Amino acid sequence: MSVGEKEEMGGRPADRGRLDKRRAIVEAALRVFAQVGYAQASLDVIAAEAGVSKPTIYNHLGSKERLFRYVLTETAARSHAKTLDVLTGFPTDPGRLRPALEDLAAKLVDCYCDEQSEAVRRLLYAEAVRFPDLFDAVRASGPDQFTEALAGRLARLANAGHLRIGDPVRAANQFIALVYDELPGMSALGTRPLDPAEVAEVVTAGVDTFLRAFGTGKAPDAPGAAASGASGGVSG
């Protein structure tokens, strides 16, 4: 449970007001940090963006460093919760494996390409030298947990004979890479809008390649499959 969720449970008007201010500060701080970076961001600008006073930021979240850490961990936690929800529709019917995986991949990409998620990702990489512990903590509590959860579901399909996978964690990482890793370059790390048709092509091609690698037989025809140039499968 996140800090914000704990506070929200209070339900009293005073608690609600504090929660609303904190959220306003967090959202404003993320926008400012994403626009100018950690070093150039100032609490004065963040306070003005949030519509609060500078002492209010200190009262809620303390120094700029503490604010930065809180903003990234809290935003990443919310994004992680949304991403895990994607797995509720994980395919179990081998007859619909391809369309179900394409639907899963499309929803996953939507989460990863969310404006706030992209902003957190850019900031984590930009400030990895300054805050290596923060980089590791956010990765461990978000993307790494999702990869483990996805690996578990892929392992179930493999155990049921629907996929051929030797290392589920590696297969999960490869699935994510196949359906997402082209997109940061296409969007200039989330700073340019993506063409939905191009995103759909990446997702379809990624799922096709994944099934050619890990499928148990000939993958059903899919848009772009013939152009992929891959055939057969290999065990993970």
Side-chain angles (χ1 to χ4, degrees):
M1 181 179 295
S2 70
V3 174
E5 288 170 332
K6 289 179 181 178
E7 290 183 358
E8 194 166 10
M9 292 176 65
R12 295 173 296 180
D15 291 337
R16 180 73 62 179
R18 285 185 58 82
L19 178 60
D20 290 343
K21 282 187 178 180
R22 181 174 292 231
R23 284 183 175 170
I25 293 168
V26 168
E27 291 174 3
L30 181 60
R31 288 193 297 270
V32 173
F33 285 134
Q35 289 167 4
V36 302
Y38 175 81
Q40 297 300 318
S42 74
L43 292 185
D44 289 314
V45 172
I46 293 171
E49 181 77 12
V52 301
S53 67
K54 187 174 177 179
T56 298
I57 294 180
Y58 282 116
N59 290 338
H60 279 265
L61 295 162
S63 66
K64 186 172 81 168
E65 179 177 336
R66 287 185 59 190
L67 174 62
F68 183 75
R69 290 176 176 276
Y70 181 87
V71 166
L72 264 62
T73 54
E74 182 70 6
T75 306
R78 294 182 188 278
S79 297
H80 175 51
K82 288 171 57 180
T83 305
L84 282 180
D85 284 344
V86 169
L87 291 178
T88 58
F90 192 84
T92 56
D93 179 4
R96 297 196 67 258
L97 188 57
R98 178 186 295 279
L101 283 175
E102 287 180 353
D103 182 63
L104 172 82
K107 291 176 180 177
L108 176 63
V109 165
D110 282 344
C111 291
Y112 280 2
C113 293
D114 174 77
E115 183 178 354
Q116 291 191 342
S117 298
E118 292 279 31
V120 168
R121 198 171 294 114
R122 288 197 306 274
L123 286 166
L124 279 176
Y125 282 101
E127 302 298 340
V129 174
R130 192 192 305 265
F131 300 112
D133 60 319
L134 180 60
F135 180 91
D136 292 339
V138 172
R139 286 284 313 175
S141 66
D144 290 352
Q145 284 189 15
F146 177 81
T147 300
E148 291 286 347
L150 176 59
R153 286 158 175 79
L154 291 174
R156 291 177 202 169
L157 286 174
N159 290 337
H162 306 317
L163 293 174
R164 293 183 298 131
I165 293 175
D167 185 338
V169 173
R170 178 164 292 166
N173 276 313
Q174 290 173 341
F175 178 84
I176 295 168
L178 286 168
V179 303
Y180 171 72
D181 274 10
E182 284 185 59
L183 302 180
M186 293 166 61
S187 68
L189 302 179
T191 61
R192 300 172 187 164
L194 287 164
D195 181 345
E198 292 182 348
V199 174
E201 287 180 7
V202 170
V203 166
T204 299
V207 171
D208 181 61
T209 302
F210 182 83
L211 287 175
R212 286 177 179 272
F214 297 107
T216 57
K218 183 179 178 181
D221 290 338
S228 68
S231 63
V234 295
S235 60

